[in-house]
Amino acid sequence: MQKPWTELTPEEKRAERIKKWLSVEHLQFAGPQAKADYQARLKRLSEAILMKKPDRVPCLLPAGQFPAYYAGITVRTAMYDYEAMKKAWLKFLYEFEGDTFSGPGLGSGVMNEILKIKSMKWPGHGLPDHTTMHQFVEDEYMRGDEYDALIKDPSDYCFRYYLPRTTGAFEPFQNLRPFRDIMGMPTSFLGACTSDEMIGAFQAIIDAARELKKFREAAMEVGREAMRIGYPGLMGGAQAHAPFDIFADTMRGTRGITMDMYRRPDKLIEAMEAITPWIIESALANSGRSPSPLVFFALHKGDDNFMSDAQYQRFYW
């Protein structure tokens, strides 16, 4: 009798996730050879993950935006013309061979324009048309005296503070009442939604969602074709960040977080401890939607060129 999931050890849970990952009977392949190639690649990857000796070293192709250049189009074209993007990534898929395949991760330029994204520049929008990648715009999107507000009500903080500062279309959200105020009065928030600016913000969500759907359909078509001809996906969409990086990268910025490490270290640590459960819950929820047992975990400010060993031990994790 199999033990309940909650009673399994971490090692047993990992073994079960990998077993599920290796199961391919529910997938549709181009033919027997594609199925065999898929299984061989997954076995190679799983053995490397388990620190076993595979038949050879797995070859991953983190191609970035190279498929666009290889197909003779710009990154800007790929971000606005989803059919051209799809053809470029399929061309790369058919002409290069590795043990896994990563689809387009560019994002939609049209969606970015609809939302009036402030935290990113991309080719043709803040950067020259021929630029080869998009660029994050670092700023103090969270003020140094706002840690308590985030800790007290993170959803409210993200909705009424963080979104309006990073996304121009959502600036009207700063005028909404906290959603906690609607308890017992479920439609009480609508009064603040009657302005033309607020209606425009909600319309931007609808328009951006429709555009994102178009982009995702093209990207998912590439992913399905990769699987069909024998290439497994690696991450499955799940990702996480070190708690320190949440604040250092996207909330306080490099300058702000450096000051916080000296001026308000205890408050920074309290905030990191508060958000750690959210990071774990989000990663687990997203990983449950994919057979892949892997989670993409970006590590940025923990580099030894940024902080000392003592700071790393105190702040990073």
Side-chain angles (χ1 to χ4, degrees), residues 138-140 142-144 147 243-265 267-269 271-272 301 306-307 311 315-316:
E138 186 174 284
D139 200 356
E140 293 186 20
M142 171 185 170
R143 310 293 185 250
Y147 277 103
F244 185 86
D245 285 341
I246 292 287
F247 293 100
D249 290 351
T250 60
M251 304 292 283
R252 296 287 290 129
T254 302
R255 180 184 179 279
I257 203 68
T258 301
M259 296 297 101
D260 292 346
M261 291 166 69
Y262 291 94
R263 293 177 177 174
R264 48 183 73 86
K267 187 59 63 176
L268 171 58
I269 291 172
M272 289 192 294
K301 293 293 197 300
F306 178 81
M307 58 172 59
Q311 290 171 325
F315 291 106
Y316 197 68

Side-chain angles (χ1 to χ4, degrees), residues 83 95 153 185 297:
E83 188 64 26
E95 298 184 19
D153 194 335
M185 297 180 289
F297 211 115

Side-chain angles (χ1 to χ4, degrees), residues 284-299:
L284 289 175
N286 288 326
S287 66
R289 301 187 183 102
S290 168
S292 173
L294 305 183
V295 175
F296 175 76
F297 211 115
L299 302 174

